[in-house]
Amino acid sequence: MFKRFFGEHGAKNVVTLFHKPNNEASTRILTLLKQANAQSVAHATEDQASSHQAQNEVEKTEFELDVTEEAPTGDQLKNILEYLGGSPGKVIQGASDESDALRRLKADSNTFQRPLVVDWNQGKAVAGENESEIMKLVRSIPRETKKS
């Protein structure tokens, strides 16, 4: 669903961090994502400045970082579980399957485990604070080249 809206017409990839400010791991991941985004924007600018070919081609490497403290909607949770290969216990505390996860989320949004990073365009997610997996996800964002 999100791919249809964001993956076409040159739009940036949207990466969402489900964040909890008083969670040290979540704050660390927010900093990591902000740095990764800033570096990708800086590299794109450096490439454009240093390459004559880059005058004809603009490489879009950055992503739009969406940070939310809200729990996901039911539809978002279904997508997230699909992206993770159906590991509901990683996302919703104590959940045994998708329907249990949806029920628990509806009953108490605090059962939702943060941090959780989602690349809606690629259909990928990383639950928890595994920085190397999150960077792998960010690095796998397709670079879009446009002819001007």
Side-chain angles (χ1 to χ4, degrees), residues 75-106:
D75 286 341
Q76 287 176 323
L77 180 60
K78 286 179 186 179
N79 286 333
I80 291 165
L81 292 175
E82 180 183 319
Y83 301 163
L84 291 171
S87 303
K90 286 183 177 179
V91 180
I92 302 293
Q93 189 174 14
S96 58
D97 58 29
E98 182 180 304
S99 60
D100 186 33
L102 289 165
R103 182 185 57 75
R104 287 174 186 262
L105 177 65
K106 188 174 181 178

Short mmCIF file of all heavy atoms in Angstrom, two decimals, residues 75-106:
data_model
loop_
_atom_site.label_atom_id
_atom_site.label_comp_id
_atom_site.label_asym_id
_atom_site.label_seq_id
_atom_site.Cartn_x
_atom_site.Cartn_y
_atom_site.Cartn_z
N ASP A 75 -3.61 -1.69 10.69
CA ASP A 75 -3.11 -1.99 9.35
C ASP A 75 -1.59 -1.89 9.28
O ASP A 75 -0.93 -2.71 8.66
CB ASP A 75 -3.73 -1.05 8.31
CG ASP A 75 -5.19 -1.39 8.01
OD1 ASP A 75 -5.62 -2.53 8.30
OD2 ASP A 75 -5.90 -0.50 7.49
N GLN A 76 -1.04 -0.86 9.94
CA GLN A 76 0.42 -0.73 9.97
C GLN A 76 1.04 -1.93 10.68
O GLN A 76 2.05 -2.46 10.23
CB GLN A 76 0.83 0.57 10.67
CG GLN A 76 0.58 1.81 9.85
CD GLN A 76 0.91 3.07 10.63
OE1 GLN A 76 0.68 3.15 11.84
NE2 GLN A 76 1.44 4.07 9.94
N LEU A 77 0.43 -2.35 11.79
CA LEU A 77 0.96 -3.49 12.53
C LEU A 77 0.95 -4.75 11.66
O LEU A 77 1.92 -5.51 11.66
CB LEU A 77 0.18 -3.73 13.82
CG LEU A 77 0.67 -4.91 14.67
CD1 LEU A 77 2.12 -4.71 15.12
CD2 LEU A 77 -0.25 -5.11 15.88
N LYS A 78 -0.11 -4.96 10.92
CA LYS A 78 -0.17 -6.13 10.02
C LYS A 78 0.98 -6.08 9.03
O LYS A 78 1.65 -7.10 8.79
CB LYS A 78 -1.51 -6.16 9.27
CG LYS A 78 -2.67 -6.58 10.12
CD LYS A 78 -3.95 -6.57 9.29
CE LYS A 78 -5.17 -6.85 10.15
NZ LYS A 78 -6.41 -6.83 9.35
N ASN A 79 1.22 -4.90 8.43
CA ASN A 79 2.34 -4.76 7.49
C ASN A 79 3.68 -5.02 8.18
O ASN A 79 4.53 -5.71 7.64
CB ASN A 79 2.35 -3.37 6.86
CG ASN A 79 1.26 -3.18 5.83
OD1 ASN A 79 0.80 -4.12 5.21
ND2 ASN A 79 0.82 -1.94 5.67
N ILE A 80 3.86 -4.44 9.35
CA ILE A 80 5.12 -4.61 10.09
C ILE A 80 5.38 -6.09 10.38
O ILE A 80 6.49 -6.59 10.18
CB ILE A 80 5.10 -3.79 11.39
CG1 ILE A 80 5.15 -2.28 11.06
CG2 ILE A 80 6.25 -4.18 12.31
CD1 ILE A 80 4.79 -1.38 12.23
N LEU A 81 4.35 -6.80 10.83
CA LEU A 81 4.51 -8.22 11.12
C LEU A 81 4.87 -8.99 9.85
O LEU A 81 5.71 -9.90 9.89
CB LEU A 81 3.25 -8.78 11.77
CG LEU A 81 2.97 -8.26 13.18
CD1 LEU A 81 1.62 -8.79 13.68
CD2 LEU A 81 4.08 -8.62 14.15
N GLU A 82 4.28 -8.61 8.74
CA GLU A 82 4.61 -9.25 7.46
C GLU A 82 6.07 -8.97 7.10
O GLU A 82 6.81 -9.87 6.70
CB GLU A 82 3.68 -8.72 6.37
CG GLU A 82 3.95 -9.32 5.01
CD GLU A 82 3.06 -8.70 3.94
OE1 GLU A 82 1.86 -8.48 4.21
OE2 GLU A 82 3.58 -8.44 2.83
N TYR A 83 6.51 -7.71 7.26
CA TYR A 83 7.89 -7.33 6.94
C TYR A 83 8.89 -8.10 7.80
O TYR A 83 9.99 -8.42 7.35
CB TYR A 83 8.13 -5.84 7.15
CG TYR A 83 7.26 -4.91 6.34
CD1 TYR A 83 7.15 -3.58 6.70
CD2 TYR A 83 6.54 -5.34 5.22
CE1 TYR A 83 6.36 -2.69 5.97
CE2 TYR A 83 5.75 -4.46 4.50
CZ TYR A 83 5.66 -3.14 4.87
OH TYR A 83 4.89 -2.26 4.17
N LEU A 84 8.52 -8.36 9.05
CA LEU A 84 9.41 -9.07 9.98
C LEU A 84 9.30 -10.58 9.85
O LEU A 84 9.97 -11.31 10.57
CB LEU A 84 9.11 -8.66 11.42
CG LEU A 84 9.47 -7.24 11.80
CD1 LEU A 84 8.92 -6.91 13.19
CD2 LEU A 84 10.97 -7.02 11.76
N GLY A 85 8.46 -11.06 8.97
CA GLY A 85 8.30 -12.49 8.80
C GLY A 85 7.45 -13.11 9.89
O GLY A 85 7.62 -14.28 10.23
N GLY A 86 6.55 -12.32 10.47
CA GLY A 86 5.60 -12.84 11.46
C GLY A 86 6.21 -13.13 12.82
O GLY A 86 6.02 -14.20 13.36
N SER A 87 6.96 -12.19 13.36
CA SER A 87 7.52 -12.34 14.71
C SER A 87 6.77 -11.40 15.66
O SER A 87 7.31 -10.38 16.09
CB SER A 87 9.01 -11.99 14.71
OG SER A 87 9.71 -12.79 13.80
N PRO A 88 5.53 -11.74 16.02
CA PRO A 88 4.72 -10.81 16.80
C PRO A 88 5.28 -10.50 18.18
O PRO A 88 5.10 -9.39 18.68
CB PRO A 88 3.36 -11.49 16.90
CG PRO A 88 3.63 -12.93 16.65
CD PRO A 88 4.81 -12.98 15.73
N GLY A 89 5.98 -11.44 18.80
CA GLY A 89 6.54 -11.21 20.13
C GLY A 89 7.63 -10.15 20.15
O GLY A 89 7.90 -9.55 21.19
N LYS A 90 8.27 -9.89 18.99
CA LYS A 90 9.29 -8.84 18.90
C LYS A 90 8.66 -7.46 18.90
O LYS A 90 9.31 -6.48 19.22
CB LYS A 90 10.10 -8.98 17.61
CG LYS A 90 11.07 -10.11 17.57
CD LYS A 90 11.83 -10.05 16.25
CE LYS A 90 12.88 -11.12 16.16
NZ LYS A 90 13.59 -11.06 14.87
N VAL A 91 7.38 -7.40 18.51
CA VAL A 91 6.72 -6.12 18.31
C VAL A 91 5.70 -5.82 19.41
O VAL A 91 5.63 -4.71 19.90
CB VAL A 91 6.04 -6.08 16.92
CG1 VAL A 91 5.35 -4.76 16.68
CG2 VAL A 91 7.05 -6.38 15.83
N ILE A 92 4.92 -6.83 19.77
CA ILE A 92 3.90 -6.67 20.80
C ILE A 92 4.23 -7.63 21.94
O ILE A 92 4.26 -8.85 21.73
CB ILE A 92 2.48 -6.96 20.26
CG1 ILE A 92 2.14 -6.04 19.08
CG2 ILE A 92 1.45 -6.83 21.37
CD1 ILE A 92 2.00 -4.57 19.43
N GLN A 93 4.47 -7.07 23.10
CA GLN A 93 4.88 -7.86 24.26
C GLN A 93 3.88 -8.99 24.53
O GLN A 93 2.69 -8.77 24.69
CB GLN A 93 4.97 -6.94 25.46
CG GLN A 93 5.58 -7.56 26.68
CD GLN A 93 5.75 -6.51 27.78
OE1 GLN A 93 5.19 -5.42 27.73
NE2 GLN A 93 6.53 -6.86 28.77
N GLY A 94 4.40 -10.23 24.53
CA GLY A 94 3.62 -11.40 24.87
C GLY A 94 2.74 -11.95 23.76
O GLY A 94 2.05 -12.95 23.95
N ALA A 95 2.77 -11.34 22.57
CA ALA A 95 1.90 -11.79 21.47
C ALA A 95 2.39 -13.10 20.88
O ALA A 95 3.59 -13.29 20.67
CB ALA A 95 1.81 -10.73 20.40
N SER A 96 1.45 -13.99 20.59
CA SER A 96 1.80 -15.30 20.04
C SER A 96 1.55 -15.39 18.54
O SER A 96 2.17 -16.19 17.86
CB SER A 96 1.02 -16.40 20.75
OG SER A 96 -0.37 -16.15 20.61
N ASP A 97 0.63 -14.58 18.01
CA ASP A 97 0.36 -14.57 16.58
C ASP A 97 -0.22 -13.21 16.21
O ASP A 97 -0.39 -12.34 17.07
CB ASP A 97 -0.58 -15.71 16.17
CG ASP A 97 -1.92 -15.69 16.90
OD1 ASP A 97 -2.39 -14.59 17.29
OD2 ASP A 97 -2.50 -16.76 17.08
N GLU A 98 -0.53 -13.02 14.92
CA GLU A 98 -1.00 -11.73 14.45
C GLU A 98 -2.28 -11.28 15.14
O GLU A 98 -2.39 -10.13 15.57
CB GLU A 98 -1.20 -11.75 12.93
CG GLU A 98 -1.63 -10.41 12.38
CD GLU A 98 -1.84 -10.43 10.88
OE1 GLU A 98 -0.91 -10.81 10.15
OE2 GLU A 98 -2.95 -10.04 10.44
N SER A 99 -3.26 -12.17 15.25
CA SER A 99 -4.53 -11.76 15.86
C SER A 99 -4.34 -11.43 17.34
O SER A 99 -4.95 -10.48 17.85
CB SER A 99 -5.61 -12.82 15.67
OG SER A 99 -5.22 -14.04 16.26
N ASP A 100 -3.47 -12.16 18.02
CA ASP A 100 -3.16 -11.86 19.42
C ASP A 100 -2.47 -10.50 19.53
O ASP A 100 -2.76 -9.71 20.42
CB ASP A 100 -2.29 -12.98 20.01
CG ASP A 100 -2.05 -12.82 21.51
OD1 ASP A 100 -2.96 -12.32 22.22
OD2 ASP A 100 -0.97 -13.22 21.97
N ALA A 101 -1.56 -10.23 18.59
CA ALA A 101 -0.85 -8.94 18.58
C ALA A 101 -1.83 -7.79 18.37
O ALA A 101 -1.76 -6.78 19.08
CB ALA A 101 0.22 -8.95 17.48
N LEU A 102 -2.74 -7.94 17.44
CA LEU A 102 -3.74 -6.90 17.18
C LEU A 102 -4.63 -6.67 18.40
O LEU A 102 -4.92 -5.53 18.76
CB LEU A 102 -4.58 -7.26 15.96
CG LEU A 102 -3.85 -7.17 14.61
CD1 LEU A 102 -4.65 -7.88 13.52
CD2 LEU A 102 -3.60 -5.72 14.24
N ARG A 103 -5.03 -7.77 19.04
CA ARG A 103 -5.88 -7.67 20.23
C ARG A 103 -5.15 -6.96 21.36
O ARG A 103 -5.68 -6.05 22.00
CB ARG A 103 -6.33 -9.07 20.67
CG ARG A 103 -7.26 -9.09 21.88
CD ARG A 103 -7.58 -10.50 22.35
NE ARG A 103 -6.40 -11.28 22.69
CZ ARG A 103 -5.68 -11.12 23.81
NH1 ARG A 103 -6.00 -10.21 24.69
NH2 ARG A 103 -4.62 -11.87 24.05
N ARG A 104 -3.89 -7.35 21.58
CA ARG A 104 -3.09 -6.74 22.65
C ARG A 104 -2.82 -5.26 22.38
O ARG A 104 -2.87 -4.44 23.30
CB ARG A 104 -1.77 -7.48 22.84
CG ARG A 104 -1.93 -8.85 23.49
CD ARG A 104 -0.60 -9.59 23.50
NE ARG A 104 -0.73 -10.94 23.99
CZ ARG A 104 -0.47 -11.30 25.25
NH1 ARG A 104 -0.03 -10.41 26.13
NH2 ARG A 104 -0.61 -12.55 25.62
N LEU A 105 -2.54 -4.91 21.14
CA LEU A 105 -2.29 -3.52 20.79
C LEU A 105 -3.54 -2.67 21.04
O LEU A 105 -3.46 -1.58 21.59
CB LEU A 105 -1.87 -3.39 19.32
CG LEU A 105 -1.66 -1.96 18.81
CD1 LEU A 105 -0.49 -1.29 19.53
CD2 LEU A 105 -1.42 -1.96 17.31
N LYS A 106 -4.69 -3.20 20.65
CA LYS A 106 -5.94 -2.47 20.83
C LYS A 106 -6.26 -2.29 22.32
O LYS A 106 -6.72 -1.23 22.74
CB LYS A 106 -7.08 -3.22 20.14
CG LYS A 106 -8.37 -2.45 20.10
CD LYS A 106 -9.42 -3.19 19.29
CE LYS A 106 -10.71 -2.39 19.23
NZ LYS A 106 -11.72 -3.04 18.43
#
